[in-house]
Amino acid sequence: MKLPPLVQAFVLHFGEMGSRWGINRTVGQIYALLYVSPDPLNAEQIVDALGVSRSNVSMGLKELQAWNLAIPKHIPDDRRDHFTTPDDVWQILRTLAEERKKREVDPTLSVLRELLMQTPGSAEERHAQQRMAEMHGLIEQLTTWYDDVKRLETERLASLLALGARVTRLLEAKDKVVGLVRGRTPSAKEG
């Protein structure tokens, strides 16, 4: 690799993490290189920087484009394709979450729906369907929450994330107010 040590460390780490996330090591390295590069890069520049084959880079760029994480950029007077990543890290996070949902969560929900629609033939299958229904309900609830959160403006989302576990205090305060409005006194357990 012909990269400055700081950039090389980042690129190598992303390659290792990529393989843990279920993507090819080279794809992770290409993404990391594009992300930290001040200018869009063409395939040959990526090959030179990473020391990988041209075909590996081509396949990696196609995969990143399918995930909407590599964006083609036209450079005047240069016929080669150049690539960069989205500038906004929040947009990158949203893109990653949406693509993972499409590839992992949505198919699981579909299979669960199909299995739950079948008539169980035994007590064992009824038990299994009951457990699947619980899982389906949780995933549906998380999906609904995700759909709500993804529509938040970036500033609101950042504020929500900054709250962390302190959001439970807001929920506790809401419970107290709702209890007072309904005319009941909060129990000792509720505070």
Side-chain angles (χ1 to χ4, degrees):
M1 238 181 242
K2 306 171 190 172
L3 299 170
L6 184 117
V7 172
Q8 183 174 350
F10 179 73
V11 168
L12 288 173
H13 175 73
F14 250 74
E16 290 174 27
M17 291 310 298
S19 62
R20 292 182 185 148
W21 296 330
I23 62 171
N24 178 297
R25 177 184 304 263
T26 303
V27 173
Q29 291 178 345
I30 293 169
Y31 177 77
L33 179 63
L34 291 173
Y35 181 78
V36 297
S37 177
D39 300 308
L41 301 175
N42 63 48
E44 289 307 317
Q45 291 170 309
I46 297 169
V47 166
D48 290 343
L50 300 180
V52 296
S53 73
R54 177 75 161 88
S55 62
N56 241 357
V57 168
S58 290
M59 289 187 326
L61 287 169
K62 284 183 177 142
E63 186 171 340
L64 289 169
Q65 286 179 74
W67 278 75
N68 297 312
L69 292 174
I71 302 168
K73 289 285 182 182
H74 176 73
I75 305 295
D77 299 323
D78 193 336
R79 295 175 60 172
R80 297 173 293 186
D81 292 328
H82 290 73
F83 299 89
T84 189
T85 62
D87 291 329
D88 181 5
V89 292
W90 288 97
Q91 183 56 44
I92 294 168
L93 175 67
R94 284 181 173 101
T95 298
L96 282 170
E98 186 62 30
E99 293 298 323
R100 293 212 66 153
K101 179 184 170 294
K102 278 192 252 180
R103 288 171 169 78
E104 298 168 21
V105 176
D106 292 348
T108 301
L109 281 174
S110 293
V111 168
L112 285 171
R113 281 186 202 107
E114 286 177 29
L115 294 171
L116 290 171
M117 289 174 57
Q118 295 179 16
T119 304
S122 67
E124 186 177 3
E125 285 187 344
R126 278 190 293 283
H127 174 76
Q129 271 191 329
Q130 180 183 355
R131 300 288 289 165
M132 287 181 237
E134 292 170 6
M135 182 182 289
H136 179 268
L138 175 63
I139 295 172
E140 279 284 338
Q141 191 172 14
L142 287 170
T143 300
T144 300
W145 174 82
Y146 165 75
D147 288 338
D148 290 343
V149 168
K150 79 178 181 184
R151 286 189 289 272
L152 291 176
E153 296 172 4
T154 298
E155 296 77 26
R156 290 254 186 222
L157 182 56
S159 296
L160 178 63
L161 289 176
L163 280 174
R166 293 181 305 218
V167 77
T168 59
R169 287 189 223 147
L170 290 173
L171 294 173
E172 290 166 357
K174 178 208 63 112
D175 291 344
K176 287 179 183 176
V177 168
V178 168
L180 290 172
V181 168
R182 290 186 178 155
R184 54 171 249 238
T185 310
S187 68
K189 180 182 171 186
E190 294 172 312

